[in-house]
Amino acid sequence: MKTKAWLLLLAACTTAGLPNAALSADLTALDLNLPSLGTVAGSELSPNDERALGAQIMTQVRSDPTYMTDPETSEYLNRLGYQLVSRANTYTYQFFFFPIRDSSLNAFALPGGYIAVHTGTIIAAKNESELAGVVGHEIGHVSQRHIARMIEGQKSNMAITIGSLLLAILAARAGGSSGGHAAAAVAMGSQAALIQSHLNYSQDAEREADRIGLQTLYNAGFDPKGMESFFERLHSSNRFYESAAPAYLSTHPLTVERMSDMENRTRQLPGRIHRDSLDFRLIQVRLEVLQETRHDGWFKVQKEFNRRLQTATGSEIPILHYGLSVVAQQLHQSEDALKHARAAMQAGNSAILVRNLTRTEYDVATNKADKQKALDRAKKALDRFPLSTMIAENYVDLLYAEGRHKDLIHFLRNNETLSSDSANYHGLLARSYEKLNQRSLQYFHTGEMYALLGSTEAAVYQLSLAQKASDGDFYTMSQIDARLRELRNQLLIEKLKDRN
């Protein structure tokens, strides 16, 4: 989704349940006297270079089996993330927030505005302000260009620093204390001077990210105590269970000074009550299911949800029904999935619930008429949630399942919710052109998908196949030829940069 669309979506959301006038007054009064170290990230590594570096690293992250492409979780994280970004003092980046399937408590920022959140962190958050505090902290790292400053501070060892950065991220992905310590060791490098400079920089960067994150959290309408309470739990875990400390503490070391500084700044702010969104609670139960990858794990979660349901009250009942619907889908229990999906609709108005219901209705449908009804409901959902990428992709998926590839292509080319700047947009087009046996367009859109994912060489290969297939009209083939020349030049520049 385009940034503009995300901001429009945010404008439609309530901000922490506060009247606009009250929020404006709070924003005017807020002054945390923050230092600004970001300007020292000077001219050597431009924001565009930083974004390109992040895109290259993301090609590695996306190939990791723990990288999640779940539409519901991705849309929620990006909506939460942009609610914070819209109130943050940053304008350099187009942010992208994504989930990592890992039960450990961790989150990390990559160059250029890519921010990962472990599923364990989302599940462990006691309220939405705690999760927003973690995300706000990572936004602080990005807005202050901490990674760029680290790289620029080691100009004489730039290749080592960038390589160490990637290795550190992969090592941190191991989770737990040992993985985190391995990440720290790799990131520090082998030279004593380099180790010391990284240690000092890390402490300064963490303090600055705390302060920026806290201001962003408050400005966006969340309870600032959310950040304090989450980090306090991490701090207690480290103090009493040091051998099994959360991975977040290894990549974001907490100190007594940091905790004291955060508590002092929180006390300066007026109290605020933030009401958790329905989607936050739905995503938590969803991830309890998707964090598991085996049948025995899903059966265990199913048993736990049924146990909770026996004593649940109020809105917790339909939320647990949603969780039971998700786990039933994983276990291929279609009838149970539909039963729980219908019960979950009592929770309220949510695109997540609507998508779940239309999908389960389609899966249970046994004849053409029932499948068409489910497809019609999915299309009506587009009017209810016109800015939801998840709802648009759901409709596209059902069109694909029905073999209506011409309708699918027409929808994609005429609907602005799924941006043509999205890799997924081109992937969806490619698979339908393949079914229609239009090879040039299939390879063309596959190539565009790879280009947007930062893999120029793979994109050139796909565009070469598109050129050889030569089954498009004159306009299509001219477009392919021009794009192939552009990508070949880009690949040449990239290889020259690598040699230098």
Side-chain angles (χ1 to χ4, degrees):
M1 182 185 293
K2 293 179 180 178
T3 303
K4 181 179 178 182
W6 274 116
L7 294 175
L8 287 172
L9 181 60
L10 290 173
C13 300
T14 58
T15 305
L18 291 174
N20 288 336
L23 182 59
S24 298
D26 284 342
L27 291 177
T28 302
L30 178 62
D31 181 8
L32 293 180
N33 190 29
L34 303 180
S36 181
L37 305 180
T39 54
V40 304
S43 58
E44 292 299 321
L45 188 68
S46 71
N48 286 338
D49 290 338
E50 195 177 346
R51 183 75 179 180
L53 176 59
Q56 288 179 328
I57 295 175
M58 280 299 294
T59 62
Q60 303 297 320
V61 174
R62 286 189 175 97
S63 65
D64 191 301
T66 61
Y67 175 82
M68 288 184 68
T69 57
D70 182 58
E72 287 88 341
T73 308
S74 295
E75 182 160 312
Y76 169 74
L77 276 181
N78 279 278
R79 185 167 68 245
L80 174 68
Y82 270 99
Q83 187 173 348
L84 293 163
V85 169
S86 68
R87 296 292 183 173
N89 185 23
T90 181
Y91 54 87
T92 306
Y93 302 101
Q94 291 183 336
F95 284 76
F96 177 68
F97 303 84
F98 60 96
I100 292 289
R101 183 186 285 108
D102 194 310
S103 60
S104 65
L105 302 186
N106 211 344
F108 57 87
L110 300 177
Y114 298 95
I115 293 177
V117 184
H118 284 204
T119 54
T121 303
I122 300 171
I123 295 169
K126 290 187 176 180
N127 54 62
E128 198 166 22
S129 291
E130 287 196 350
L131 176 59
V134 174
V135 176
H137 178 92
E138 299 306 322
I139 290 171
H141 280 306
V142 175
S143 67
Q144 298 306 103
R145 303 193 65 205
H146 287 155
I147 295 175
R149 285 153 51 191
M150 179 187 73
I151 292 173
E152 290 177 12
Q154 303 296 336
K155 292 185 180 74
S156 60
N157 297 293
M158 186 168 290
I160 296 173
T161 303
I162 294 175
S164 297
L165 174 65
L166 178 55
L167 290 173
I169 291 166
L170 297 177
R173 284 285 312 103
S177 178
S178 61
H181 289 311
V186 172
M188 297 311 168
S190 59
Q191 301 173 44
L194 192 60
I195 292 174
Q196 187 58 48
S197 65
H198 276 239
L199 283 170
N200 291 337
Y201 171 78
S202 176
Q203 292 166 7
D204 290 339
E206 290 301 325
R207 280 192 293 267
E208 187 176 32
D210 287 341
R211 296 170 184 179
I212 295 292
L214 182 61
Q215 181 173 3
T216 299
L217 185 70
Y218 187 85
N219 288 358
F222 291 95
D223 181 359
K225 289 187 179 295
M227 176 180 280
E228 179 185 331
S229 61
F230 189 84
F231 281 94
E232 177 57 39
R233 288 212 312 279
L234 288 176
H235 190 55
S236 297
S237 298
N238 187 44
R239 187 165 62 244
F240 294 112
Y241 306 103
E242 191 167 347
S243 62
Y248 198 85
L249 297 182
S250 296
T251 53
H252 302 73
L254 276 171
T255 62
V256 174
E257 290 78 15
R258 275 185 64 198
M259 289 301 303
S260 297
D261 184 59
M262 200 181 308
E263 290 168 2
N264 289 334
R265 290 175 184 277
T266 302
R267 278 197 291 267
Q268 296 173 21
L269 301 174
R272 171 173 290 164
I273 297 175
H274 176 270
R275 180 178 296 176
D276 292 343
S277 69
L278 170 60
D279 284 355
F280 167 67
R281 295 300 181 188
L282 292 173
I283 290 298
Q284 281 191 311
V285 296
R286 180 177 183 82
L287 290 180
E288 285 190 67
V289 178
L290 299 185
Q291 194 167 256
E292 303 291 338
T293 57
R294 298 169 60 90
H295 280 75
D296 56 348
W298 293 325
F299 280 122
K300 183 178 178 181
V301 173
Q302 188 178 51
K303 183 178 179 180
E304 171 62 15
F305 284 170
N306 278 315
R307 184 193 67 77
R308 289 189 215 167
L309 196 58
Q310 293 175 3
T311 57
T313 59
S315 62
E316 194 63 24
I317 295 174
I319 289 172
L320 285 169
H321 276 297
Y322 171 71
L324 285 165
S325 177
V326 176
V327 75
Q329 291 170 48
Q330 299 300 111
L331 293 169
H332 303 291
Q333 300 168 348
S334 299
E335 293 290 346
D336 281 346
L338 180 57
K339 177 185 71 175
H340 289 298
R342 287 171 173 164
M345 291 300 296
Q346 299 300 315
N349 188 38
S350 168
I352 293 173
L353 296 178
V354 171
R355 181 186 190 277
N356 187 57
L357 180 60
T358 56
R359 289 304 293 256
T360 52
E361 284 180 332
Y362 183 87
D363 291 341
V364 170
T366 56
N367 57 62
K368 197 73 174 176
D370 288 341
K371 287 183 180 293
Q372 184 58 48
K373 287 180 182 177
L375 187 61
D376 290 342
R377 290 192 186 96
K379 187 174 184 180
K380 287 180 181 178
L382 292 167
D383 296 328
R384 291 177 60 187
F385 305 98
L387 297 176
S388 173
T389 301
M390 170 183 61
I391 291 294
E393 288 183 1
N394 180 56
Y395 180 61
V396 167
D397 286 342
L398 295 186
L399 285 175
Y400 183 84
E402 284 294 287
R404 293 170 55 174
H405 301 293
K406 290 183 179 179
D407 290 339
L408 187 159
I409 292 168
H410 181 267
F411 174 78
L412 284 176
R413 291 194 174 283
N414 292 277
N415 183 278
E416 294 184 357
T417 305
L418 296 174
S419 168
S420 60
D421 293 332
S422 160
N424 196 41
Y425 169 88
H426 292 282
L428 293 169
L429 279 174
R431 66 177 187 173
S432 280
Y433 279 122
E434 179 184 18
K435 292 295 183 181
L436 294 173
N437 202 33
Q438 297 182 32
R439 298 302 179 192
S440 288
L441 283 168
Q442 172 199 337
Y443 294 132
F444 171 75
H445 286 287
T446 303
E448 292 292 5
M449 178 186 71
Y450 279 120
L452 287 165
L453 291 174
S455 183
T456 309
E457 191 163 4
V460 167
Y461 177 71
Q462 291 294 325
L463 266 293
S464 299
L465 293 177
Q467 191 181 59
K468 291 176 182 176
S470 193
D471 62 355
D473 57 24
F474 176 78
Y475 173 78
T476 298
M477 298 313 300
S478 297
Q479 185 181 21
I480 290 170
D481 290 343
R483 184 62 172 141
L484 183 57
R485 284 194 299 272
E486 181 181 359
L487 286 170
R488 280 174 172 162
N489 288 334
Q490 182 178 330
L491 182 59
L492 180 61
I493 293 170
E494 290 175 4
K495 288 185 175 180
L496 287 172
K497 281 185 176 180
D498 289 341
R499 289 174 191 161
N500 296 328

PDB file of all heavy atoms in Angstrom, residues 58-72:
ATOM      1  N   MET A  58      16.963  -7.051   3.147  1.00  0.00           N
ATOM      2  CA  MET A  58      15.631  -7.646   3.189  1.00  0.00           C
ATOM      3  C   MET A  58      15.498  -8.849   2.260  1.00  0.00           C
ATOM      4  O   MET A  58      14.677  -9.739   2.503  1.00  0.00           O
ATOM      5  CB  MET A  58      14.570  -6.599   2.826  1.00  0.00           C
ATOM      6  CG  MET A  58      14.206  -5.665   3.974  1.00  0.00           C
ATOM      7  SD  MET A  58      13.519  -6.519   5.419  1.00  0.00           S
ATOM      8  CE  MET A  58      11.977  -7.145   4.744  1.00  0.00           C
ATOM      9  N   THR A  59      16.286  -8.907   1.187  1.00  0.00           N
ATOM     10  CA  THR A  59      16.251 -10.098   0.331  1.00  0.00           C
ATOM     11  C   THR A  59      16.690 -11.325   1.111  1.00  0.00           C
ATOM     12  O   THR A  59      16.188 -12.434   0.887  1.00  0.00           O
ATOM     13  CB  THR A  59      17.139  -9.925  -0.916  1.00  0.00           C
ATOM     14  OG1 THR A  59      18.499  -9.748  -0.515  1.00  0.00           O
ATOM     15  CG2 THR A  59      16.686  -8.739  -1.742  1.00  0.00           C
ATOM     16  N   GLN A  60      17.643 -11.145   2.047  1.00  0.00           N
ATOM     17  CA  GLN A  60      18.076 -12.244   2.894  1.00  0.00           C
ATOM     18  C   GLN A  60      17.013 -12.566   3.948  1.00  0.00           C
ATOM     19  O   GLN A  60      16.721 -13.728   4.229  1.00  0.00           O
ATOM     20  CB  GLN A  60      19.398 -11.887   3.588  1.00  0.00           C
ATOM     21  CG  GLN A  60      20.529 -11.529   2.649  1.00  0.00           C
ATOM     22  CD  GLN A  60      20.926 -12.697   1.756  1.00  0.00           C
ATOM     23  OE1 GLN A  60      20.965 -13.841   2.202  1.00  0.00           O
ATOM     24  NE2 GLN A  60      21.207 -12.414   0.510  1.00  0.00           N
ATOM     25  N   VAL A  61      16.433 -11.526   4.537  1.00  0.00           N
ATOM     26  CA  VAL A  61      15.426 -11.722   5.580  1.00  0.00           C
ATOM     27  C   VAL A  61      14.207 -12.438   5.012  1.00  0.00           C
ATOM     28  O   VAL A  61      13.657 -13.351   5.640  1.00  0.00           O
ATOM     29  CB  VAL A  61      15.023 -10.366   6.200  1.00  0.00           C
ATOM     30  CG1 VAL A  61      13.867 -10.526   7.179  1.00  0.00           C
ATOM     31  CG2 VAL A  61      16.219  -9.730   6.909  1.00  0.00           C
ATOM     32  N   ARG A  62      13.772 -12.034   3.809  1.00  0.00           N
ATOM     33  CA  ARG A  62      12.578 -12.645   3.214  1.00  0.00           C
ATOM     34  C   ARG A  62      12.785 -14.116   2.884  1.00  0.00           C
ATOM     35  O   ARG A  62      11.826 -14.885   2.813  1.00  0.00           O
ATOM     36  CB  ARG A  62      12.172 -11.886   1.945  1.00  0.00           C
ATOM     37  CG  ARG A  62      11.525 -10.534   2.215  1.00  0.00           C
ATOM     38  CD  ARG A  62      10.954  -9.942   0.940  1.00  0.00           C
ATOM     39  NE  ARG A  62      10.235  -8.701   1.188  1.00  0.00           N
ATOM     40  CZ  ARG A  62      10.741  -7.484   1.031  1.00  0.00           C
ATOM     41  NH1 ARG A  62      11.998  -7.355   0.615  1.00  0.00           N
ATOM     42  NH2 ARG A  62      10.024  -6.413   1.283  1.00  0.00           N
ATOM     43  N   SER A  63      14.037 -14.511   2.664  1.00  0.00           N
ATOM     44  CA  SER A  63      14.299 -15.922   2.358  1.00  0.00           C
ATOM     45  C   SER A  63      14.347 -16.790   3.605  1.00  0.00           C
ATOM     46  O   SER A  63      14.366 -18.013   3.514  1.00  0.00           O
ATOM     47  CB  SER A  63      15.632 -16.057   1.595  1.00  0.00           C
ATOM     48  OG  SER A  63      16.722 -15.671   2.423  1.00  0.00           O
ATOM     49  N   ASP A  64      14.357 -16.152   4.779  1.00  0.00           N
ATOM     50  CA  ASP A  64      14.370 -16.891   6.050  1.00  0.00           C
ATOM     51  C   ASP A  64      12.982 -17.478   6.280  1.00  0.00           C
ATOM     52  O   ASP A  64      11.972 -16.779   6.116  1.00  0.00           O
ATOM     53  CB  ASP A  64      14.748 -15.938   7.190  1.00  0.00           C
ATOM     54  CG  ASP A  64      15.036 -16.676   8.489  1.00  0.00           C
ATOM     55  OD1 ASP A  64      14.142 -17.397   8.988  1.00  0.00           O
ATOM     56  OD2 ASP A  64      16.152 -16.530   9.002  1.00  0.00           O
ATOM     57  N   PRO A  65      12.884 -18.759   6.669  1.00  0.00           N
ATOM     58  CA  PRO A  65      11.564 -19.377   6.869  1.00  0.00           C
ATOM     59  C   PRO A  65      10.741 -18.739   7.977  1.00  0.00           C
ATOM     60  O   PRO A  65       9.526 -18.947   8.039  1.00  0.00           O
ATOM     61  CB  PRO A  65      11.902 -20.840   7.209  1.00  0.00           C
ATOM     62  CG  PRO A  65      13.335 -20.831   7.636  1.00  0.00           C
ATOM     63  CD  PRO A  65      13.978 -19.725   6.870  1.00  0.00           C
ATOM     64  N   THR A  66      11.372 -17.962   8.848  1.00  0.00           N
ATOM     65  CA  THR A  66      10.606 -17.323   9.919  1.00  0.00           C
ATOM     66  C   THR A  66       9.999 -15.988   9.488  1.00  0.00           C
ATOM     67  O   THR A  66       9.232 -15.392  10.256  1.00  0.00           O
ATOM     68  CB  THR A  66      11.498 -17.088  11.163  1.00  0.00           C
ATOM     69  OG1 THR A  66      12.581 -16.232  10.807  1.00  0.00           O
ATOM     70  CG2 THR A  66      12.044 -18.405  11.685  1.00  0.00           C
ATOM     71  N   TYR A  67      10.337 -15.504   8.295  1.00  0.00           N
ATOM     72  CA  TYR A  67       9.724 -14.276   7.779  1.00  0.00           C
ATOM     73  C   TYR A  67       8.257 -14.580   7.457  1.00  0.00           C
ATOM     74  O   TYR A  67       7.955 -15.505   6.699  1.00  0.00           O
ATOM     75  CB  TYR A  67      10.456 -13.789   6.536  1.00  0.00           C
ATOM     76  CG  TYR A  67       9.812 -12.593   5.871  1.00  0.00           C
ATOM     77  CD1 TYR A  67      10.047 -11.307   6.348  1.00  0.00           C
ATOM     78  CD2 TYR A  67       8.974 -12.747   4.772  1.00  0.00           C
ATOM     79  CE1 TYR A  67       9.466 -10.206   5.748  1.00  0.00           C
ATOM     80  CE2 TYR A  67       8.391 -11.658   4.156  1.00  0.00           C
ATOM     81  CZ  TYR A  67       8.634 -10.386   4.649  1.00  0.00           C
ATOM     82  OH  TYR A  67       8.036  -9.303   4.050  1.00  0.00           O
ATOM     83  N   MET A  68       7.351 -13.816   8.039  1.00  0.00           N
ATOM     84  CA  MET A  68       5.920 -14.084   7.869  1.00  0.00           C
ATOM     85  C   MET A  68       5.307 -13.154   6.821  1.00  0.00           C
ATOM     86  O   MET A  68       5.541 -11.940   6.847  1.00  0.00           O
ATOM     87  CB  MET A  68       5.177 -13.903   9.193  1.00  0.00           C
ATOM     88  CG  MET A  68       5.440 -14.986  10.226  1.00  0.00           C
ATOM     89  SD  MET A  68       4.430 -14.767  11.718  1.00  0.00           S
ATOM     90  CE  MET A  68       2.790 -15.099  11.064  1.00  0.00           C
ATOM     91  N   THR A  69       4.521 -13.736   5.926  1.00  0.00           N
ATOM     92  CA  THR A  69       3.807 -12.957   4.916  1.00  0.00           C
ATOM     93  C   THR A  69       2.319 -12.885   5.234  1.00  0.00           C
ATOM     94  O   THR A  69       1.513 -12.617   4.358  1.00  0.00           O
ATOM     95  CB  THR A  69       4.015 -13.582   3.526  1.00  0.00           C
ATOM     96  OG1 THR A  69       3.566 -14.949   3.559  1.00  0.00           O
ATOM     97  CG2 THR A  69       5.475 -13.540   3.108  1.00  0.00           C
ATOM     98  N   ASP A  70       1.960 -13.152   6.481  1.00  0.00           N
ATOM     99  CA  ASP A  70       0.560 -13.163   6.894  1.00  0.00           C
ATOM    100  C   ASP A  70      -0.078 -11.788   6.675  1.00  0.00           C
ATOM    101  O   ASP A  70       0.351 -10.796   7.283  1.00  0.00           O
ATOM    102  CB  ASP A  70       0.479 -13.548   8.370  1.00  0.00           C
ATOM    103  CG  ASP A  70      -0.951 -13.639   8.860  1.00  0.00           C
ATOM    104  OD1 ASP A  70      -1.721 -14.417   8.284  1.00  0.00           O
ATOM    105  OD2 ASP A  70      -1.294 -12.919   9.823  1.00  0.00           O
ATOM    106  N   PRO A  71      -1.110 -11.679   5.818  1.00  0.00           N
ATOM    107  CA  PRO A  71      -1.690 -10.371   5.493  1.00  0.00           C
ATOM    108  C   PRO A  71      -2.287  -9.660   6.704  1.00  0.00           C
ATOM    109  O   PRO A  71      -2.152  -8.436   6.832  1.00  0.00           O
ATOM    110  CB  PRO A  71      -2.773 -10.704   4.457  1.00  0.00           C
ATOM    111  CG  PRO A  71      -2.376 -12.034   3.895  1.00  0.00           C
ATOM    112  CD  PRO A  71      -1.714 -12.763   5.014  1.00  0.00           C
ATOM    113  N   GLU A  72      -2.972 -10.415   7.583  1.00  0.00           N
ATOM    114  CA  GLU A  72      -3.598  -9.797   8.746  1.00  0.00           C
ATOM    115  C   GLU A  72      -2.566  -9.141   9.656  1.00  0.00           C
ATOM    116  O   GLU A  72      -2.707  -7.980  10.060  1.00  0.00           O
ATOM    117  CB  GLU A  72      -4.398 -10.843   9.541  1.00  0.00           C
ATOM    118  CG  GLU A  72      -5.683 -11.283   8.889  1.00  0.00           C
ATOM    119  CD  GLU A  72      -5.503 -12.446   7.930  1.00  0.00           C
ATOM    120  OE1 GLU A  72      -4.361 -12.687   7.482  1.00  0.00           O
ATOM    121  OE2 GLU A  72      -6.495 -13.120   7.616  1.00  0.00           O
TER     122      GLU A  72
END
